[in-house]
Amino acid sequence: MAKKEEKSGGGILETIKTIVYALLIAGVFRTLFFQPFWIPSGSMKDTLLIGDFLFVNKMSYGYSYASCPSLYLPSFGIDIDARDICGFLDGDNARLFGSEPERGDIAVFRHPITGRDFIKRVIGLPGDRIQMKQGVLHINDEPVQVEPAGTFEEVAEPQGPQRLRPRCENGPVGTGGTCEKSRFTETLPNGVSHNILNITMQGSDNTSVYTVPEGHYFMMGDNRDNSSDSRVPSAANGVGFVPYENLIGRANRVIFSSAGSSMLFFWTWRGDRFFEKLQ
């Protein structure tokens, strides 16, 4: 009887060890190599859709305090920030094995104020002058090339776990109707081309000149009229300029995509987006 109890106790101990080792390996993998990221909003449509799942390459830009994982589960009262783990690396705006992002990269970064993970496109590099005029992006006082690319259409209905309704250029559109946005192909000075969407003419389509400070980057969403990005200062609930050390990594490919409120709803999976390369 004692031997059975001893064997049972040893089995439990081995199970605990296995779980701990697995968590440690997963933590190291997530910190050094790839971080999973689930797209929660439509600020990067049509490049990224709500419900896209991807892995962020952390080796792209090297490592800083932002490379450490954070855990935010408000339902359970859990809010572990990367600074709680790797705060000793914060403060010098530098990176270990650092590599600078290129204009046009789709980058995940930590919000300068809230610390939450954001994903946007790198538009402005240190020293650049960025301005929007009549909805056209200007870099260093020159307008970027923009060409019509048809119409982006989606169903006007709640999307994703947050049940967000899309904004429509042809709105208001009733539930189940076709929500439309004008689509354009924008080509940046380094030759990177990507789609952008237009909904309406609004304040963020006409801005003052933003001069990107040294060691910082200017980020914008591809869904230009529905994106909280560097056009609004971080102190005013925007993003503002993003410090180099806040970069987490680059997104290169969609791994999986679900149009439903849960990834478990297999009937809502978008099979045509599996392993789709991003540009």
Side-chain angles (χ1 to χ4, degrees), residues 43 111 118 120 219 221 226-232 237-239:
S43 68
H111 189 284
F118 271 54
K120 305 288 179 186
M219 308 290 193
N226 195 42
S227 174
S228 175
D229 50 39
S230 293
R231 289 171 289 179
V232 178
N237 297 320
V239 170

Side-chain angles (χ1 to χ4, degrees), residues 112-129:
I113 300 297
T114 67
R116 303 299 174 219
D117 291 351
F118 271 54
I119 185 167
K120 305 288 179 186
R121 192 177 295 274
V122 178
I123 296 296
L125 306 178
D128 280 345
R129 291 164 51 85

Side-chain angles (χ1 to χ4, degrees), residues 26-81:
V28 171
F29 183 85
R30 188 180 187 278
T31 298
L32 298 180
F33 302 111
F34 297 95
Q35 174 177 317
F37 192 87
W38 188 274
I39 303 301
S41 73
S43 68
M44 283 293 292
K45 291 177 181 177
D46 65 343
T47 305
L48 291 169
L49 304 180
I50 295 177
D52 281 352
F53 179 80
L54 46 88
F55 282 103
V56 179
N57 186 349
K58 288 191 166 185
M59 296 175 284
S60 300
Y61 308 134
Y63 305 97
S64 71
Y65 87 93
S67 302
C68 284
S70 56
L71 184 61
Y72 181 61
L73 298 172
S75 300
F76 298 94
I78 298 175
D79 187 2
I80 302 174
D81 189 84

Side-chain angles (χ1 to χ4, degrees), residues 44 47 103-107 109 119-124 186 188 192-196 218-222 224 278-279:
M44 283 293 292
T47 305
R103 198 190 312 275
D105 282 2
I106 299 173
F109 58 92
I119 185 167
K120 305 288 179 186
R121 192 177 295 274
V122 178
I123 296 296
E186 179 179 84
L188 300 175
V192 173
S193 295
H194 59 277
N195 288 338
I196 59 172
F218 194 94
M219 308 290 193
M220 294 180 69
D222 292 347
R224 291 286 164 79
L278 299 175
Q279 55 182 337

Side-chain angles (χ1 to χ4, degrees), residues 64-66 83 89-95 215 243-247:
S64 71
Y65 87 93
R83 282 191 174 92
L89 296 174
D90 186 18
D92 59 1
N93 202 25
R95 308 183 70 87
Y244 181 44
E245 66 181 357
N246 281 40
L247 298 176

Side-chain angles (χ1 to χ4, degrees), residues 174-197:
T175 299
T178 300
C179 177
E180 299 178 353
K181 300 176 181 65
S182 295
R183 178 166 52 200
F184 300 87
T185 298
E186 179 179 84
T187 302
L188 300 175
N190 61 344
V192 173
S193 295
H194 59 277
N195 288 338
I196 59 172
L197 302 181

